[in-house]
Amino acid sequence: MSTESKPQMTETARRAIADEIAAQEDDRLKPLSAGEREAKDQIYQRLLKVMDLSLIGGLADREARHQIRQICDMLMSEQQLPLSVASRQRIVKRIEDEVLGLGPLEPLLADKSVSDILVNGPTQVYVERRGRLELTDVIFNNDAHLLNIIDRIVSAVGRRIDESSPMVDARLKDGSRVNAIIPPLAIDGPSLSIRRFAADMLSIDDLISLGSLTRPLADVLNAVVRARLNVLVSGGTGAGKTTLLNILSGFIPPTERIVTIEDSAELQLRQPHVVRLETRPPNIEGRGSVTQRDLVRNSLRMRPDRIVIGEVRGGEALDMLQAMNTGHDGSLTTIHANSPRDALGRVENMVSMTGIAFPVHALRAQITSAIDIIIQIERHEDGRRRLVSLQETNGMEGEVITTSEIFSFKRHGLDAEGNVIGELSPTGIVPGFLRRLRERGIDLPIDVFREEHDPSTARRRS
């Protein structure tokens, strides 16, 4: 007895269906026209009158959206609005976002090419794409509308924002960092900044393909982390410090116990033995805060093989230096600074925040003993993030910490399209840590540190 087999969908048909679904979703995410915005506001106000939104919170997201769509379709039919099917879908999608999401920001959050969302009041919303800022046509109805969205974000994490507490740090469900500040501190109206959390973190190969660093330097970074050298990643805001720190953490062997300490958890370590710690802000009464310094000191009692600190920005710098100098080698952290020299100076200033007076020579000797490698990264005007310097600390000469630059980015100018022209190459200095690598059985060829005799052979556009 034969059975008739079902026809199999071809790959071309599958791709066509997927493209159609994607096109429909893209159409739903298009900005609303002035007429569509007016219709959306009209239907939304009617929805608030006929639907008990307090019951929506108890429903699953899919069911809640289904009910909102049904009621909106009914209201649009009753109003006999002259709208196309595509316009109706866009309006319903915005109303769903208004009730269940973050309103006008939802299309931006759904756009994977957007890395940062910067709201400077209800009528000015910028995004960063591929390292460049762009003004969008996203707008809020008024200050109250924007305040409502901000309040929805901060209340979801148990925080509040009002005149008595007009600025707050929070985090979205996907891990994105949020900072909000409102009047009276924000003179021109509420301001909201969202630093997107990348679901798919970049790899070292991605940085090489993007021109952020070279393969020889990637091999050096791999060896440095495996050899348990202490690394300080320095750079400005948005330069990619956390991204690089996450990649460096990936070089840690899976057999080691890692403790991460962050203000807002962003690191995505793939190793099996990871303990993630996050600071806690004070409650409404101003109590119960847990600082990074508290967590660093506590981590020393947790038998860590490695301590990874998202960013040092205060008194925890002293505890970090003491940990690095008392057997917790292989630690990784980042710092805000414009150069490796500035990074060392900032660490020194942060230690002074503890109120403990150290002799200058003793403090600098402790810094140079603790920190082995300083990596400087920058975001250039073409939007690309680049590693521009890798330096090794050598010791002290009098009262000065001495360093050697092992790799350096040499910049030559801009091309016709505004891209930075230059190359990242070794300086020719053989680092002192090469001996430590070999002691740990890591064979890194000395050729990776040799300077090219003819710079033109190494020059490339990055």
Side-chain angles (χ1 to χ4, degrees):
M1 183 175 178
S2 63
T3 58
E4 194 173 308
S5 61
K6 294 182 180 179
Q8 296 295 317
M9 183 182 293
T10 65
E11 183 60 31
T12 303
R14 276 197 214 91
R15 196 173 300 138
I17 293 173
D19 291 343
E20 184 179 351
I21 293 173
Q24 290 176 354
E25 185 61 25
D26 289 343
D27 188 66
R28 293 176 70 199
L29 294 176
K30 285 181 181 178
L32 298 181
S33 65
E36 288 173 340
R37 282 199 300 270
E38 183 179 348
K40 175 247 177 185
D41 293 338
Q42 183 179 348
I43 295 301
Y44 179 62
Q45 293 303 322
R46 290 271 297 154
L47 178 71
L48 295 179
K49 294 178 180 178
V50 303
M51 187 176 188
D52 187 356
L53 296 184
S54 63
L55 300 178
I56 291 292
L59 300 176
D61 184 74
R62 179 177 296 182
E63 176 61 26
R65 290 182 181 274
H66 177 69
Q67 289 198 18
I68 292 172
R69 279 195 296 271
Q70 283 188 323
I71 296 176
C72 287
D73 288 339
M74 179 189 69
L75 293 175
M76 281 189 282
S77 298
E78 288 178 357
Q79 300 283 57
Q80 297 183 345
L81 298 176
L83 298 169
S84 66
V85 174
S87 293
R88 288 171 179 259
Q89 289 178 342
R90 282 196 293 272
I91 290 172
V92 173
K93 178 68 170 63
R94 294 304 188 280
I95 293 176
E96 291 175 24
D97 294 340
E98 200 68 51
V99 176
L100 302 173
L102 300 183
L105 298 180
E106 285 293 334
L108 301 180
L109 292 170
D111 188 345
K112 293 184 179 179
S113 68
V114 172
S115 56
D116 291 338
I117 302 172
L118 309 172
V119 183
N120 306 333
T123 60
Q124 193 179 68
V125 180
Y126 284 86
V127 297
E128 182 185 286
R129 286 190 178 93
R130 293 172 289 278
R132 295 178 184 267
L133 289 177
E134 303 173 6
L135 180 64
T136 70
D137 49 13
V138 172
I139 62 172
F140 294 82
N141 296 337
N142 46 43
D143 282 356
H145 186 198
L146 176 54
L147 277 170
N148 181 53
I149 298 300
I150 292 174
D151 186 64
R152 188 175 300 176
I153 293 172
V154 300
S155 61
V157 292
R159 307 290 300 280
R160 70 168 188 175
I161 187 165
D162 50 35
E163 285 192 6
S164 62
S165 179
M167 58 182 178
V168 68
D169 287 310
R171 196 169 72 225
L172 299 180
K173 291 179 181 179
D174 65 356
S176 299
R177 288 181 293 174
V178 177
N179 176 269
I181 184 166
I182 65 173
L185 300 186
I187 298 173
D188 298 321
S191 176
L192 178 68
S193 305
I194 301 177
R195 306 290 304 278
R196 295 294 303 280
F197 181 84
D200 299 321
M201 299 298 290
L202 296 176
S203 66
I204 194 72
D205 292 329
D206 293 326
L207 294 191
I208 293 171
S209 64
L210 291 170
S212 298
L213 49 81
T214 60
R215 173 57 65 184
L217 181 51
D219 295 337
V220 171
L221 295 178
N222 189 336
V224 159
V225 174
R226 287 164 51 213
R228 301 182 66 86
L229 300 183
N230 295 320
V231 179
L232 179 65
V233 178
S234 169
T237 300
K241 298 186 298 298
T242 303
T243 298
L244 182 58
L245 182 64
N246 201 79
I247 291 172
L248 295 177
S249 301
F251 295 141
I252 299 174
T255 56
E256 298 185 12
R257 174 176 168 86
I258 308 168
V259 177
T260 68
I261 299 168
E262 301 175 84
D263 265 341
S264 181
E266 290 182 276
L267 295 173
Q268 291 178 294
L269 275 62
R270 300 286 187 258
Q271 291 85 344
H273 200 164
V274 178
V275 179
R276 305 170 69 207
L277 306 179
E278 186 179 48
T279 61
R280 185 176 69 184
N283 58 21
I284 296 175
E285 289 78 24
R287 301 174 183 173
S289 68
V290 179
T291 66
Q292 279 204 142
R293 189 173 188 193
D294 297 329
L295 295 179
V296 171
R297 285 185 294 197
N298 185 78
S299 70
L300 301 179
R301 307 183 185 101
M302 299 174 66
R303 197 261 175 218
D305 290 311
R306 307 268 189 155
I307 299 174
V308 180
I309 305 175
E311 180 185 343
V312 288
R313 59 183 67 185
E316 67 272 7
L318 173 60
D319 301 283
M320 178 193 71
L321 293 177
Q322 291 177 337
M324 290 177 172
N325 280 319
T326 55
H328 295 89
D329 51 352
S331 298
L332 309 171
T333 188
T334 73
I335 193 170
H336 268 81
N338 294 325
S339 70
R341 179 61 56 183
D342 288 347
L344 294 174
R346 284 213 67 208
V347 172
E348 188 176 336
N349 291 337
M350 289 175 186
V351 172
S352 67
M353 294 180 185
T354 62
I356 303 174
F358 285 93
V360 172
H361 184 87
L363 175 56
R364 291 178 181 173
Q366 187 172 5
I367 291 173
T368 191
S369 176
I371 299 173
D372 300 306
I373 302 292
I374 307 169
I375 300 172
Q376 185 70 32
I377 55 178
E378 292 180 1
R379 180 175 62 173
H380 289 152
E381 58 265 43
D382 58 3
R384 295 186 181 182
R385 280 86 168 172
R386 293 177 175 89
L387 195 154
V388 297
S389 181
L390 185 143
Q391 299 191 14
E392 175 189 36
T393 58
N394 302 127
M396 298 279 294
E397 285 188 5
E399 298 292 321
V400 179
I401 298 174
T402 61
T403 62
S404 298
E405 189 167 48
I406 312 302
F407 283 82
S408 176
F409 180 79
K410 297 180 178 63
R411 177 170 172 162
H412 305 291
L414 299 174
D415 65 12
E417 298 176 352
N419 296 312
V420 173
I421 303 173
E423 75 275 350
L424 178 64
S425 57
T427 61
I429 297 175
V430 177
F433 63 72
L434 189 60
R435 177 181 57 82
R436 290 181 59 180
L437 300 186
R438 290 172 176 169
E439 288 174 353
R440 292 182 177 270
I442 300 172
D443 184 19
L444 188 66
I446 197 171
D447 290 346
V448 301
F449 302 109
R450 287 180 178 164
E451 187 177 13
E452 294 284 346
H453 295 293
D454 181 9
S456 64
T457 62
R459 183 173 300 177
R460 65 182 183 87
R461 181 181 298 171
S462 62

